[in-house]
Amino acid sequence: MKIITIIGARPQIIKAAAISRAIRNNHADKIQEVIVHTGQHYDENMSKVFFEELQIPRPDYNLAVGSGSHGKQTAKMLDGIEEIIMKEKPQALLVYGDTNSTVAGGLAASKLHIPLVHIEAGLRSYNKAMPEEINRITCDHMSTLLFSPTSQGSENLAKEGFDLNNSAPYSIDNPKVYHCGDIMFDNSKHFSEISDVQSTLIKDLGLGNFILSTIHRNNNTDDPVRLNSIFKALLDIAQQNQQTIVLPLHPRTKKMMEVNLEKDLMEKVENSNLIKVIPPVSFLDVIALEKNASMVVTDSGGVQKEAFFFEKPCLILRSETEWVEIVENGNAIVVDADYDKIMSGHKELLSRSDLSYPPLYGDGKAAEFICNEILNHI
Ligand code: UD1
Ligand code: UDP
C-alpha cells in the first residue's frame, strides 16, 4: 500500500517519527510511505534537526512554500500536493494535527477522492477565531479514518454527527472514528531514555531549578497587550522566586517581541540573568527541559501535553485548551494571557502537592494501532 504523509510544521515533523518508526519496524513489507514536506517550517532548528535525531526518513518531496498569509501559504501547498497525488497515485493520504499543511493535504486528497487519514482528530477548542480550529473541523469532515488521541475527541466528533458505531467499509461518507491514544505519548516514551543519554543541554546551560516556557500562538505574539502581560508575569515570577525561566523562542515570537514588546520590558528581559532566551531546541533537548523543569508555562498544544507526560504542572497561556483532561485532572490551569491569572495560577500550582498523572493518552502503542487499522480498512 502506498501512503502519502504530509508534514510541514515542527510538531508534525516530530509526530511523523512515531508512524515512520512503526512502519519501519513492523510493516515495511506492506506500507510504502511517501513523505511530502510542505516547507511551512524551514529554519534548520524548526525542521532539519528533527529528521536526523528522530530517524525520520528524508522527505521524498519538499514544496518549500515558506511563510506567508494563510491563503497564499495554503494555496501553494494545495497546488503542490495535488500534483504529487496525481503522479504518485497513493491509496491514502495521511495528515497530522491542525496546521495549514494539514488542511491543504485534506483538501487535495478529498477533491481527488483519495481516502484521508487524520491523526489527532476530534480535538476542539470551540474557538473559531483560532486558525487551527478551522483546520481541524474541515479536516475531520474530509476524512475516512479519524484517529482521536482522547475520549473527549471522539465525543466531540459524535456531537458533530459522526456515527461512532458504524461498520466497514469506510469512506468519506461513512467515516470511522477511533479513540486510540496519542502518538506523541508513543514518542515521548520512546525518546525519553535516548534524551537522558544524548542531551547535554541541562549541563550546558548550567540549569538547576527552573521553569520551562514556550510561546508562539499568533494571538499572543501579534497582540501587544497579551504579549506584554505574558512577559511582565514571567519577569515577576522569575524575580519574586529567584527562579530561572528558560524560553526556547519560536521564530515568530522572536520577530514579534521586537515589534510588540514595550521598550523597557524588552530591555529587562534582555538584561535579566533569570530569563534565559535560547533558540528553538531539538526534541531530545526539549524532553530534557521538560523532565528537569519544576513547572511548564506554555501556549503550545504539544508542550502542555508533554508536561503531563513528564509529570510537570503547567500553566496554559490561552483562554481555552483542546486538552481538557489535564485541566480537569488538576495538572494544568488555563490562565490566558492575563497577568493576574498567570501570577495566581503559578501560586496555585505550587500549592498542589497531590497531583496524579493517570494514563489519559493511551499505552504508547498508538502508532502501531493506526498502521494496523490503515492496513485493514483502506
Ligand atoms: C504554525 C501552525 C500552528 C502550530 C505551529 C507550530 C498554522 C496556521 N499554524 O504556526 O498551529 O502550533 O506552526 O510551531 O498552520 N518562521 C520562521 N522560520 C520558520 C518558520 C516560521 O522564521 O522555519 C516565522 C515566519 O516569520 C512566519 C512565522 O514564523 O511568518 C509564522 O510561521 P507559520 O508557519 O505561518 O505559523 P506558526 O506560528 O509557526
Ligand atoms: N519543541 C521542540 N523544540 C522547541 C519547542 C518545542 O522540539 O524548542 C517540540 C515540543 O516538544 C512538541 C512540539 O515541538 O513536541 C510542539 O510544537 P509547537 O509548540 O511548535 O506547536 P503546537 O504543539 O502548539 O502545535
Side-chain angles (χ1 to χ4, degrees):
M1 179 187 296
K2 187 194 273 188
I3 295 176
I4 291 184
T5 296
I6 305 293
I7 55 177
R10 167 170 69 187
Q12 297 163 331
I13 300 169
I14 299 171
K15 283 166 199 165
I19 294 291
S20 296
R21 190 169 61 246
I23 294 176
R24 186 171 61 243
N25 290 344
N26 297 317
H27 308 284
D29 54 335
K30 292 182 233 88
I31 300 179
Q32 181 198 351
E33 188 183 31
V34 175
I35 298 183
V36 177
H37 190 334
T38 62
Q40 177 169 353
H41 287 175
Y42 43 85
D43 288 351
E44 169 135 5
N45 55 19
M46 296 292 287
S47 174
K48 189 164 176 258
V49 64
F50 301 109
F51 289 91
E52 288 160 10
E53 77 169 9
L54 307 182
Q55 290 184 289
I56 306 162
R58 278 165 60 92
D60 299 275
Y61 297 89
N62 191 325
L63 299 174
V65 301
S67 305
S69 67
H70 287 267
K72 281 211 182 86
Q73 191 184 51
T74 312
K76 282 187 198 162
M77 294 173 187
L78 186 52
D79 190 15
I81 296 169
E82 185 177 67
E83 228 172 78
I84 295 169
I85 293 177
M86 290 195 292
K87 179 170 161 229
E88 294 284 346
K89 300 184 178 40
Q91 274 77 58
L93 186 134
L94 190 153
V95 290
Y96 297 100
D98 53 20
T99 72
N100 289 344
S101 299
T102 315
V103 79
L107 273 170
S110 56
K111 298 265 178 179
L112 290 171
H113 303 155
I114 302 297
L116 182 66
V117 176
H118 187 198
I119 299 185
E120 231 181 56
L123 300 178
R124 298 289 181 267
S125 64
Y126 294 102
N127 171 9
K128 285 188 186 148
M130 197 182 175
E132 292 82 0
E133 185 76 351
I134 303 292
N135 295 343
R136 292 179 190 125
I137 296 172
T138 48
C139 210
D140 282 340
H141 287 262
M142 297 187 284
S143 296
T144 289
L145 301 184
L146 297 91
F147 293 96
S148 169
T150 59
S151 53
Q152 182 68 48
S154 306
E155 281 172 37
N156 294 339
L157 291 168
K159 273 189 245 157
E160 287 172 22
F162 284 85
D163 177 358
L164 302 188
N165 299 309
N166 57 349
S167 322
Y170 303 120
S171 68
I172 190 169
D173 291 314
N174 182 41
K176 173 67 179 170
V177 174
Y178 300 91
H179 166 208
C180 66
D182 193 329
I183 55 166
M184 280 310 294
F185 184 53
D186 299 16
N187 267 341
S188 295
K189 267 182 90 165
H190 180 81
F191 290 111
S192 172
E193 274 177 32
I194 302 175
S195 163
D196 290 345
V197 176
Q198 290 187 17
S199 174
T200 58
L201 189 68
I202 302 291
K203 205 163 134 234
D204 296 346
L205 294 179
L207 294 172
N209 182 7
F210 70 95
I211 290 175
L212 168 66
S213 182
T214 77
I215 302 157
H216 77 279
R217 289 257 93 80
N218 64 332
N219 69 330
N220 283 336
T221 60
D222 299 5
D223 179 337
V225 176
R226 293 178 67 90
L227 197 65
N228 280 284
S229 297
I230 291 172
F231 274 93
K232 269 190 199 120
L234 289 181
L235 261 176
D236 285 353
I237 288 172
Q239 266 156 13
Q240 286 169 19
N241 301 277
Q242 282 302 297
Q243 188 167 36
T244 303
I245 301 187
V246 180
L247 255 164
L249 212 56
H250 191 290
R252 165 181 216 120
T253 317
K254 185 168 191 282
K255 281 177 198 156
M256 295 315 290
M257 276 170 77
E258 274 151 34
V259 181
N260 284 334
L261 221 53
E262 289 160 13
K263 215 166 159 258
D264 65 324
L265 188 57
M266 184 74 171
E267 277 169 14
K268 280 187 191 153
V269 171
E270 281 172 345
N271 296 331
S272 167
N273 56 0
L274 292 171
I275 306 275
K276 279 195 195 301
V277 175
I278 58 174
V281 297
S282 75
F283 189 57
L284 296 183
D285 283 343
V286 90
I287 288 181
L289 291 172
E290 289 163 348
K291 287 177 87 166
N292 287 283
S294 59
M295 190 184 289
V296 173
V297 181
T298 188
D299 61 10
S300 159
V303 175
Q304 61 184 273
K305 212 159 16 94
E306 288 159 19
F308 180 87
F309 298 159
F310 295 115
E311 307 200 342
K312 297 300 149 82
C314 178
L315 293 179
I316 302 172
L317 299 168
R318 289 177 44 194
S319 55
E320 76 292 303
T321 177
E322 313 70 68
W323 307 104
V324 290
E325 322 61 35
I326 59 174
V327 177
E328 283 162 8
N329 199 54
N331 312 93
I333 303 180
V334 172
V335 290
D336 207 354
D338 178 310
Y339 177 88
D340 292 333
K341 284 190 193 164
I342 299 172
M343 298 305 288
S344 63
H346 173 255
K347 280 209 181 76
E348 168 63 25
L349 279 186
L350 288 179
S351 74
R352 291 186 185 173
S353 52
D354 55 346
L355 290 175
S356 67
Y357 291 85
L360 298 172
Y361 297 100
D363 56 5
K365 294 180 184 145
E368 188 51 39
F369 176 88
I370 290 169
C371 288
N372 281 325
E373 292 308 304
I374 290 173
L375 282 166
N376 288 339
H377 291 295
I378 292 289

